[in-house]
Structure formats: structure tokens, C-alpha cells
Amino acid sequence: MDSEKRQELEESLAFLRSRFDELNQDIKRPHSLDAEVLRKKLEELEESTPSVHPPLRFPRRWKAAAGIAACFVFVAGAFFLAGPQSADNSLLSGGAAETTDAGEVSSSAAVGAPAPEAAMAEEGALMKENPESGELQDAAIPRMAAYSGAPGAAYAESYAQIRDQVYTLGTEPETGLSTSLRLGEDQAVEEAVQDSVDLASAGVSENHKRYETGALIRTDGIYLYSYVMKNTSSTGPFIQISTVNEMKEVASIPLESAIQTFYVYGDQLVTLSLDYHGIPQEVLPMETIAEAAPLEESASQQGNWCGVDGDTGTKATFYDISDPAQPQLVKTFQQDGQYLSSQLEGNTLYVLSRWGVSQDPTASGATLTELVPVTYDSSQETAKLLEAEQIVNNPDASSPLYAVVSVVDLSNPQIQTQAVLGGADGFYLTSENLYLYGNAEGGRTNLIRMELVPGGFSLAASGSVSGQLADGASLKEQDGILRVATTLEVEEGSCENSLYLLDRWLQPVGSLEGILKQGALSATCYLNGAACLSSTTQDGSLLLSVDLSDPTQPKTGETLTLPLFLRQLHPLGEGFALGVGQSVESQGNSGGLELVLLDLSDPAAPSLVSSYSFGEGSYSDVLNAPNRLLVLQEEQLVGLPILTRSSATEKERAYIVFSWDGETGLTQQGLLTQTQLSNTDYSAPEQAAAVDGMLYVFSADWLTKCQIEPWNVLGTAQLF
Amino acid sequence: MVVDVEAVKRARLGDKESFGEVYQQIADDLYRVALYSLGNSHDAQDVVSETFIEAYKGIKNLRDESSFKAWIMRILSIRCKRRIGQYITGRNELDIDDFLDLSDHRTGVEEKSTEKLALLNALETLTPQERQIVALAVVQGYTVRETAEILGAPQGTVSSKLHRTLKKLRAQLEQ
């Protein structure tokens, strides 16, 4: 920092410290944070025995049952896509490899992976073809896949290797964390790109965060499944099963605790919840790290170990609903790691969680369960440690966090769990691949491709791109090409926005860099072979369509200026997209809700068809939970919960339905207001499901059946 | 507040009383940093109590007793970051009541020092990450180097981010 800036900083500090001193006098630490109180809380935690082999609890209306076990394995893995691999994983080595320069794409390609069985049958070193040079080269043989991984992510070879890597990651900054950007070297670039590091180390990018909110209502066309949360009036939490026709309650599934989300597939209902009790001690393997991976006598430990949160788990609970009137608890499945996200595709459920290592792996008596993730199926006798070969080791990880990913085939008891040492923020699923993505040092995004194979999945490729994902919809695979939209703040108010097109080895086949230079990317969508990107400026949004019909030569079209802060883009079909955003009338995030209908059918010339404003102070949960938007493509309808204000103190919540048309734009189709239901805040409509021309709107205490065309509220059913 | 290194040594050996003692010496600092970073007392209490538990469990791994304060502050910083990561995008609100002493019922919020309210309003324009840097560097008085170590970020980044953030704050307050 130059002397002028330094002086400015000193002056600012002096000016502000006196102001803060005055404010600090008012801040009183609550009694709940007194040492005595916290010690008692700690003692209670230590004394409380975890639930013993959690008894299968059956509601009084249920009979004991031995259900069909659907294996559900959560494997939440944080995938941390690898950059250059550090040369030495020994305990005494420190620091991570240097990052690549901003703007570069780096990748490690896997040769087409043979089936796991074939890989295991091979003897000796597996010769793999380098996709760049075509030369054959030796590669490590992870059991799970014939992925070369060099340089880059690769399956671990031993617990010792994992221990060393975890130890390095958890030691103090100067010995363990990334030193990839050395001060004094190109400091301007360092300072510019490192703005993203703060966000990366928070685990989630402000730019790309797609806040996932669980389901409140689902339907299989015959029954409605509604999640009723616990509140002062209800006996919840529980899931109510009611008929579609009359919304008549058929059964109620009481839940142990609040859930993150739930799914219905065939005769099965699965809930996902945070698990604070953890896997029961008595089923955990007790082998110590020292026993499994003895430390070399010469190894010395440097620095202070600083772990991360490792206490939270994720629990899946399976219910047999073949007889909806008598749902039966089948079993539970627990895995280490806080729930991040999940997705059901066909008969396969994918779950991602994040688990941190909080215990120094070199400490005396530390067990393997404190080093690697553990899973526990309640139908089995013991919990299972992930094997080293089930863990992808990323030498460039920046913290001792695992992403654990479970793939569960609900049609048979196949479960596969893998983990990646590093971190992942989410995953994107196609019919053939699972892509994990995560923020990386230097303002980059790591990507890893896992190929979906019968019975599971397998590491196939890893790479990284410059910038962070604009939002959760920034990834799209089409015709074998992965499209990735990223944004990177290079200096205050100026961003480098890019679009990368990567092949199956995550190598670039085309790219566009430096697009929409004003503002960070705030929304993306892909439709009709084109990408549509939007950035937010101080005055509104800019929208750019990119023709990707030839991925090697992406072509930009005209830029469309929009008079709103666009936050999301939702493809509607036929070249149209719905934009959700906020009015430019107020600064920042307090502007009223606005919707726009965009015609993106011609990538060269995107156009605004119509807009709809809900007024000052209006809002929708969709702004933070995009999955709350209901899109009925065939019917050309969209629905969403809204909050509108007639004054600073008067507000109303409602569920609104629009029809859309390329000529006439957005037209309000129907409206269900909270006051039509009751006077309580509970009755705010939140989410809806559609069946055969009927809309079922969920409020915390009501279900409302509405005929969509013509709009008519047909009836209500109270949930509690 | 200075931490008693001898008490830290005893705490490392499992002395619960000593751990309570050293925690008490730094508890106000922890709460203040969490409150500024997260903007509300409820979340701040959560992360401080999580930090207490994690520090208690991990103190036996602390090899340098004199760095206890930075070590526990780093744990808190990580916890704050995790919590911030769960916030919705753009959520910058501060719960003003949590920052003001309302025990004097003769005066309402409206009559509180306008300067305090101006500062809080200015803080509300910052992101939680920016407030975290301000809490460490301005409120707690850590140097840029110390702040960078606590946040696990390069010094240059922290320096430039702090500079920009304070400039932003000053501009708001001097309007």
C-alpha cells in the first residue's frame, strides 16, 4: 500500500475509533454467554447420551414394519477441483501450490475411464493416455476409477496421505493455508483477485449463492404431501398426506425434528434433516489414526492446529408409503456433514453435505472417525468409515473440509458414498454427469466431473476457471460441452465477466472474457443453444445473449438495457425467459419486486416483451429461493408467493399466478391472498403444486385448492 | 483485555475453571466482533457459544499459549463466515436494538445519540464480510497483519479492503 493510502487509512481509523468507542459502551454481552452458563451447557452436552441405535419410532396409527430398505447414502462431498498438485504431501511440507494467473483455465483430464471392475482387474501401473500429448504415462490406480488425476485431484491412496493433507490444511496460516499469492509479487493483481478470497473462504460466493429452500408441498398426482413446521399452535413438525381431490387428510407422519426437505418417489418418502446428535458412539469404529497410519518418528508438528466445525451430520429417514393411510418408518441413514443440497432425478437421489475436521489428526488418541467421514445405516450393526479410495484428495484444498456426496438408487439398495477433501458449494446434475463446483483461492472456481456409472459414480475430470459462478444456474451441459459463466471483481465497481465452454476433460474449447464490463454477473440462463447473461449496474441491468451454436466461436449479440436490478432468469420455453428482480427506484436490495418477460429467441437481438411491478416495498421469497417459483411450461403459467405494501405498515401476502404470451406479455391469471385464509401470519401462501389444472397452495396452516382457468378458489383444508 | 497465559496453560491441561477464566477475559471481545459481523444478537450469541465449545474441545491442541487470543478469534471468524454464508444475498440489516442500551426506559431509541444511529446506519451499508474486517481492525484494534491472520486472508487483500471499507464509512458519516 502506498504512503498516501496508508495515511488515509490511519486517518480513517482515528476518525472511526472514537465513534465506535461510544457505540461499544452500549453493547452488553448477554448473560447467556457467561462462562458459567456456557460451561453448564457444555457439561450437558457431554453428559447427554446420543440416542441408542435410534429406535424406529412409529406413530400410534402405524404398525411395526420391516420396510424395504432403500439405500440412501449421503455423500456430500465437497469437491475441490484441483489445480496444480503440490509435489510433496508429507507432514513436514507446507503451503499449497501457486494458483494460476487470473484468466487461465486449468484442467486435469481423465482418460476415458474403464469400468471400475476392469480397473481393479488390471495389474501393475495403469498406462493412461495424456489427452494433450497422446503419450502414455503411468498413473496411480485409485480403486474407484481409472482416473489419472495428475496433476490434480485423485483418489487417496492411504489414510496416511489424508492425515498429512488434513494436518497441513488445519495449521496456522503461515504454515498451512495457501500462500499462493506472495506479497510483493504483482501486488495490484493480488489485491484485485483476492477480494474474492474472502468470499471463497466463507464457503459461498455472494455472487453465485442460490439459496436452497426445501419443499413444503409435493404431489404424486394422487396425494398431496405437506410439511407442517412446529409452531406454538401446531403439534408439528409433521408431514400430512391428503387426497388431491378433496384435500382430505389420510395420514400424518410425525417428525423428530425440523427437516431440510423431503422427496416422494413411488412408494417411498424420504426426509432430509440436520442431525445434531450424531452417529451413536457404540456403532463407531474405534481404530485410531495412529494405528491405521503410524506417524514417522522424525515428523515434527509445527504451528497451531485450528479445525473447523465437524459436529453436524445429515440424516435421511425413509418411509414406506405404499399404503398412504399407514406410512411406515423403514430406517434412517446418517452421514457426517452439514446438509448442503440434494436433488432427485428419476429414481436416484443425490445428496451433498459438508463436514469439517475439528480434531488435530496428529493428536494422541485421535480416531479415524475424526479424520474421515462416517456413514451409518440403521439397518446395519456398525457405522462405516469411508475408505481412502473413496476419498478424492485435492492437494490444493484450502481447509480441512470434506464434501460428501451420496448417490442412492431408490429402486434397489445400492448406495455409493464418496468424499472430496477440500470444499464444494453445490452440484449440477445431468443425465450422465455430476459436476461439483466450489470457490477456490485466487477468485477461481474449481470444477470436478463425476461420471455417473451403473451403481454409482466415478471421478472423471477436474479443472478450474477464473471467477466465481454468477448464480446457481451458471452451469449448463449441452452436447458434451459444459458452459460456465463466471464473474470476478478486478477493482471496485469493475468486474471481469466470462463465459467458458469446456469439453468433457474440462478443457476449454471456447471462451468469451471481459463481457458486460459494468457490474458483476447477477443472472444467467441457457436456452435454445444460447447463453443469456445479465450484469447489474448502479442504474439497472444489462442483458447479453451469446450464440453458442458453435462452441468454439461464441458470438455475442446486442446488449439490452433493463430498468430493474435483475436477480434471476428462468427459462420458460419457446425462447422466452422470466426475469425476477427489484426496482431501480430504491438503492440496493430494498427496491420493490419486478418481473419481466424476455424474448431471447434471437440471440442477436434479445428484447423486453413486458414487465410487471408490484410496487414499493414489495417482495417475494423467490428472490432468495428460486425454487419457490412455479413454472408450468405447457400451460404457459408461472406462480409465486408475494408480499405487497399499501403503506409503510400495511402489507399483504398472497400467491399470484400469471399467464405469459409472446405477444401480450405477462397477464395476471389469479390471486390468493392471505386474508382470504385467516388473519394470522401463519397463513401466508408460500408454495404451490399443480395437478390437472388445479393449483394447491400451501400456507403453514392451510391448503387451498384453486382452479387455474378460469381462476376460482374452490376450497380450503386446515393443516392444524 | 489481556489474557492470562498461565491460565491458558492450565486450561490446556484440562482445568475447566481456568478455561472459564480465560474465556471470561475475552468474551466481550468475541461477542462484539460477532455482533458487528452478523448484525444481530441472536446469531452472535450462537456463534460465540459455538466458539466456546470448539475452543474448549480444541485447546489441548494449542501449542503456543500466548497466541490463545488470536487462535480463539480465528475460530470465531470461521464460525462467523459460515453463518454469513447462510445469509441471503444482500442481507446487510443490523438489528439496531442489539447495539443500543435500552435499559434506560426514560429515553427511546429516537432520543439516542444521533451519532450512534448514524454510525449504525452507515454500518448497514456494509456487507457482513466488510463489517467483520471493521470489527477486527477498528473496534478491536488489531493491526492489518493480525486481522489478516485471523481471517486467513492475505495481508494485501485485507489492507485494501479495509481501506475501501473505511473510506465508504467515512463518506456516509461525513454527509
Side-chain angles (χ1 to χ4, degrees), chain B residues 101-149:
Chain B
D101 181 4
L102 300 176
S103 57
D104 183 355
H105 297 293
R106 291 171 298 173
T107 55
V109 172
E110 294 78 15
E111 296 178 38
K112 289 294 169 186
S113 161
T114 51
E115 284 201 348
K116 287 182 191 174
L117 288 172
L119 179 56
L120 288 170
N121 287 332
L123 282 171
E124 221 170 19
T125 65
L126 305 182
T127 65
Q129 289 90 344
E130 288 170 335
R131 287 205 302 268
Q132 195 176 18
I133 290 185
V134 168
L136 291 169
V138 181
V139 178
Q140 292 300 119
Y142 286 107
T143 64
V144 169
R145 183 174 175 275
E146 289 167 337
T147 302
E149 284 181 9

Side-chain angles (χ1 to χ4, degrees), chain A residues 40-69:
Chain A
K40 277 196 185 127
K41 188 173 168 182
L42 187 63
E43 280 162 10
E44 281 163 19
L45 270 176
E46 284 174 337
E47 282 165 12
S48 68
T49 51
S51 49
V52 175
H53 194 102
L56 299 183
R57 290 168 52 180
F58 300 91
R60 56 177 180 273
R61 286 187 277 175
W62 298 1
K63 296 178 183 176
I68 298 168

Side-chain angles (χ1 to χ4, degrees), chain A residues 206 587-590 624, chain B residues 35-40 84 87-96 99 119-131 168 172:
Chain A
E206 273 194 355
Q587 284 299 314
N589 292 301
S590 56
N624 298 303
Chain B
L35 183 63
Y36 277 113
S37 301
L38 302 174
N40 69 90
I84 288 167
Y87 285 165
I88 58 180
T89 304
R91 173 185 158 168
N92 292 351
E93 311 96 66
L94 297 182
D95 196 328
I96 303 259
F99 287 82
L119 179 56
L120 288 170
N121 287 332
L123 282 171
E124 221 170 19
T125 65
L126 305 182
T127 65
Q129 289 90 344
E130 288 170 335
R131 287 205 302 268
K168 203 195 290 188
Q172 298 269 342

Side-chain angles (χ1 to χ4, degrees), chain A residues 241-255:
Chain A
I241 304 176
S242 13
T243 59
V244 156
N245 285 341
E246 294 169 11
M247 297 187 294
K248 187 178 164 193
E249 181 182 342
V250 170
S252 177
I253 306 175
L255 305 170

